[in-house]
Amino acid sequence: MIQKRPVLVASIAALATAIAGGAMTRIDVWYRGLEKSSLNPPDWAFAPAWTIIYALAALAAATGWRAARTQRDRSLLIILFFFNAVLNIAWSGVFFTLRRPDWALAEVATLWISVLVLIVFLARFSRPASMLMWPYLAWVSFAAWLNYKVVALNAPFG
């Protein structure tokens, strides 16, 4: 029997993360005035990319929850995903709200590590859940590089 509750909870958590991060993302005159990498995707491409990432992360969370052998593993899974969501939202706040791409570059390293920790943790009991997180790691890696280019092309900030 398919457990619907983990899918529902993970979906709501992913949606809440997306909304919170999106609320802090302002594509305004300041952002448009920044020099960016020639590989920077068009602004419209970020929403579909993040939607896919959040959907895969929610599926990974629900799959991992179902596969976890112990309540301790489930609790740790929730903590790791919560910590990751906080870091995900914080990056938008630091970059767009505080307008500190330099600080965001330091923060994105922590976000990247949190995704890697989730991949390794999930692999202990669900290879499919772990694999679902690889696109997230790839996207955060690319985002970190784009963030680095903004810093390199526009510093100093603050």
Side-chain angles (χ1 to χ4, degrees):
M1 180 177 185
I2 295 176
Q3 296 175 337
K4 294 178 185 176
R5 188 173 183 187
V7 173
L8 181 63
V9 171
S11 297
I12 291 169
L15 183 60
T17 302
I19 290 170
M24 292 187 193
T25 303
R26 292 187 299 229
I27 306 301
D28 58 8
V29 173
W30 173 80
Y31 178 75
R32 285 192 172 89
L34 293 172
E35 291 291 324
K36 298 174 201 75
S37 164
S38 61
L39 297 178
N40 204 80
D43 294 341
W44 63 263
F46 286 92
W50 276 113
T51 299
I52 292 166
I53 296 301
Y54 288 133
L56 292 172
L59 185 56
T63 302
W65 175 268
R66 289 183 191 135
R69 295 179 204 90
T70 66
Q71 187 57 42
R72 182 179 180 280
D73 283 344
R74 286 187 177 126
S75 296
L76 189 51
L77 183 66
I78 290 169
I79 291 166
L80 292 174
F81 269 103
F82 177 78
F83 184 62
N84 174 265
V86 168
L87 291 171
N88 187 300
I89 294 164
W91 183 89
S92 294
V94 172
F95 190 99
F96 289 102
T97 304
L98 297 178
R99 296 182 174 184
R100 291 303 304 249
D102 50 346
W103 294 353
L105 185 58
E107 196 278 348
V108 79
T110 308
L111 174 60
W112 189 91
I113 290 168
S114 78
V115 178
L116 183 61
V117 167
L118 277 164
I119 289 169
V120 171
F121 181 74
L122 285 165
R124 292 177 45 216
F125 47 85
S126 176
R127 185 176 176 99
S130 178
M131 302 279 294
L132 288 167
M133 295 297 289
W134 280 100
Y136 188 6
L137 187 67
W139 184 253
V140 171
S141 299
F142 180 57
W145 185 81
L146 293 174
N147 190 157
Y148 164 76
K149 292 302 285 183
V150 166
V151 171
L153 295 169
N154 297 278
F157 296 94

